[in-house]
Amino acid sequence: MKKILLLMLSIMIASVAYCENIAEMDTLLAASTAKRIEITSGNGDYKIVVWDIDGTGERFVYESKSEMSSKRKHKHSPNVTSSNRVTDLLILGSVTEYESKVDVAYIDGSGVTRNLKLSNKASKGLNRTIGSYRGTERFLDMGVTFARNGKTKWSVISSGIGIGWVTPVSSNVGMDVSMGKSVELTWANVIGVKMSHGRHHLSLGMGLDWRNMVTTGGSYFEKVDGGDIVMSPYEDGVRDRRSRIKIFSLQMPLLYSFDFGKKHRWGVTLGPVVNFNTSASIKTSWREGDREYSVKTRHIGQRPVTVDVMGAVNYGCLGVYARYAPMNMLKDSAGMKFGCFSTGIMLFF
């Protein structure tokens, strides 16, 4: 009797220990369609790659490796299973202390239901690494997904680092600005939120913008008594002349983007940009004889808020942009009226 009780007790303890090591299967990926799936397994390792999930252009990668299997990779060639035009895809996975399991079920392009069970074991004292990734195959921006509901994804992003050339438009005076020497530095979204639904994206963020309009002609920008900004002529004998108006802005772009082309690598972006112009200044420098001179004037009366329109075309993470600022950059009391047009290159859309 005692032996029977001891045996039952041993079975119960073993059952409890076994149950503690069983992990419920979690849903790693559920998709109605996928362009292609490829599963590589062998030597105890496995890797799953899924392309174009539900037509979004996103890719899913899941990989499990163990220290032991990496030491014997030269002994066996891996098995590769692949299918195109996949439907009803479901990938479930679980991880315990010494084993990771994945079940893959889908219907291939021929209408055949496929079921695969993958397992990776690691002996005690050896390491096992598991990596998982889901995202677009190109760098649209630098961001982190924080919510997802079906095809709709919400992300925190940092995007739109650009350098361009700027020129005044609709000016009431001859500013003689050289666009080749006038530079705009912009960071559309230092931080922002983006909603993506398939190929469509909508973002709102906070960024920075510097516009530097330079004239190297015979006149320079000057703030005269009364607060007016005028173009004043240099004195005779002055050389190496350079005068500029710089406007710094905190910006809030509301941008719509649409992806197209093969693997959705092409994209177009358009939307308004609200600028909070926090500072503006004039700086004039010149050389006379053997001496260099420089004069800087602050508080030249920038308009506090202006609205621009920005558009861009990109391939991958690189693109060109154009920006039109129809509103006067300075207050009416400054006397000098002008808007801006800029164009250049931009990274991380």
Side-chain angles (χ1 to χ4, degrees):
M1 186 66 179
K2 289 182 179 180
K3 291 183 179 180
I4 295 174
L5 290 175
L6 289 173
L7 179 61
M8 292 178 64
L9 182 61
S10 299
I11 293 173
M12 290 175 64
I13 293 172
S15 299
V16 171
Y18 175 76
C19 291
E20 287 180 348
N21 287 323
I22 295 177
E24 292 185 1
M25 301 289 276
D26 294 324
T27 301
L28 303 179
L29 178 67
S32 300
T33 63
K35 183 177 181 180
R36 184 166 177 260
I37 184 171
E38 182 176 284
I39 302 170
T40 305
S41 60
N43 305 315
D45 295 347
Y46 58 86
K47 182 178 182 180
I48 305 168
V49 185
V50 181
W51 285 268
D52 197 13
I53 302 166
D54 289 329
T56 62
E58 290 189 328
R59 183 175 58 170
F60 172 80
V61 180
Y62 189 92
E63 186 173 17
S64 179
K65 294 181 179 180
S66 66
E67 193 175 86
M68 179 63 74
S69 62
S70 64
K71 293 179 180 179
R72 60 173 185 260
K73 283 183 179 177
H74 62 281
K75 294 183 179 180
H76 303 284
S77 299
N79 297 318
V80 179
T81 302
S82 62
S83 298
N84 296 324
R85 302 187 306 279
V86 173
T87 56
D88 297 330
L89 173 63
L90 179 63
I91 302 176
L92 302 176
S94 67
V95 178
T96 61
E97 186 177 0
Y98 300 118
E99 185 176 19
S100 65
K101 294 182 178 180
V102 169
D103 293 348
V104 184
Y106 63 91
I107 300 175
D108 65 16
S110 302
V112 179
T113 300
R114 306 286 184 180
N115 290 280
L116 293 94
K117 296 184 180 296
L118 305 170
S119 176
N120 175 265
K121 295 182 179 180
S123 302
K124 188 175 182 180
L126 296 178
N127 295 322
R128 184 185 68 248
T129 58
I130 296 175
S132 179
Y133 163 82
R134 175 171 175 168
T136 54
E137 295 183 65
R138 60 187 176 90
F139 293 103
L140 284 172
D141 50 53
M142 301 172 284
V144 177
T145 300
F146 66 87
R148 181 186 298 275
N149 182 11
K151 291 185 179 181
T152 302
K153 180 178 70 173
W154 291 87
S155 306
V156 175
I157 63 169
S158 182
S159 63
I161 301 174
I163 180 170
W165 296 265
V166 58
T167 187
V169 295
S170 304
S171 177
N172 64 334
V173 297
M175 298 176 68
D176 197 21
V177 166
S178 171
M179 190 173 184
K181 297 180 182 294
S182 302
V183 177
E184 177 183 45
L185 299 176
T186 188
W187 190 348
N189 291 303
V190 175
I191 189 168
V193 176
K194 183 169 77 171
M195 180 189 71
S196 300
H197 185 83
R199 300 187 178 194
H200 304 273
H201 313 275
L202 187 66
S203 65
L204 176 65
M206 178 65 74
L208 307 171
D209 188 76
W210 293 262
R211 279 176 268 206
N212 215 37
M213 285 160 285
V214 177
T215 176
T216 56
S219 299
Y220 60 93
F221 299 111
E222 183 183 16
K223 182 179 180 180
V224 298
D225 294 341
D228 286 352
I229 309 300
V230 299
M231 301 297 298
S232 299
Y234 288 98
E235 295 183 1
D236 294 338
V238 171
R239 65 185 190 278
D240 297 338
R241 301 169 297 196
R242 187 178 186 275
S243 185
R244 61 95 173 129
I245 290 180
K246 181 176 71 175
I247 299 174
F248 172 74
S249 308
L250 297 175
Q251 58 184 3
M252 289 185 64
L254 177 62
L255 302 175
Y256 166 76
S257 301
F258 177 75
D259 302 335
F260 63 96
K262 187 176 181 180
K263 295 185 178 180
H264 303 180
R265 292 187 180 274
W266 286 95
V268 292
T269 301
L270 183 67
V273 181
V274 179
N275 303 290
F276 301 95
N277 305 309
T278 60
S279 67
S281 64
I282 294 172
K283 184 177 181 181
T284 301
S285 59
W286 70 92
R287 180 183 290 273
E288 189 172 359
D290 295 331
R291 300 189 63 181
E292 294 182 358
Y293 298 88
S294 179
V295 176
K296 188 171 183 178
T297 305
R298 303 179 187 273
H299 310 297
I300 64 174
Q302 75 276 7
R303 189 179 292 272
V305 180
T306 56
V307 180
D308 304 345
V309 177
M310 187 168 74
V313 177
N314 67 281
Y315 180 79
C317 65
L318 179 64
V320 295
Y321 79 93
R323 180 169 179 159
Y324 176 54
M327 300 178 65
N328 292 328
M329 303 302 295
L330 302 181
K331 295 179 180 178
D332 292 342
S333 58
M336 181 177 287
K337 297 181 180 181
F338 63 92
C340 291
F341 174 79
S342 56
T343 184
I345 58 176
M346 188 168 280
L347 296 172
F348 300 113
F349 279 81

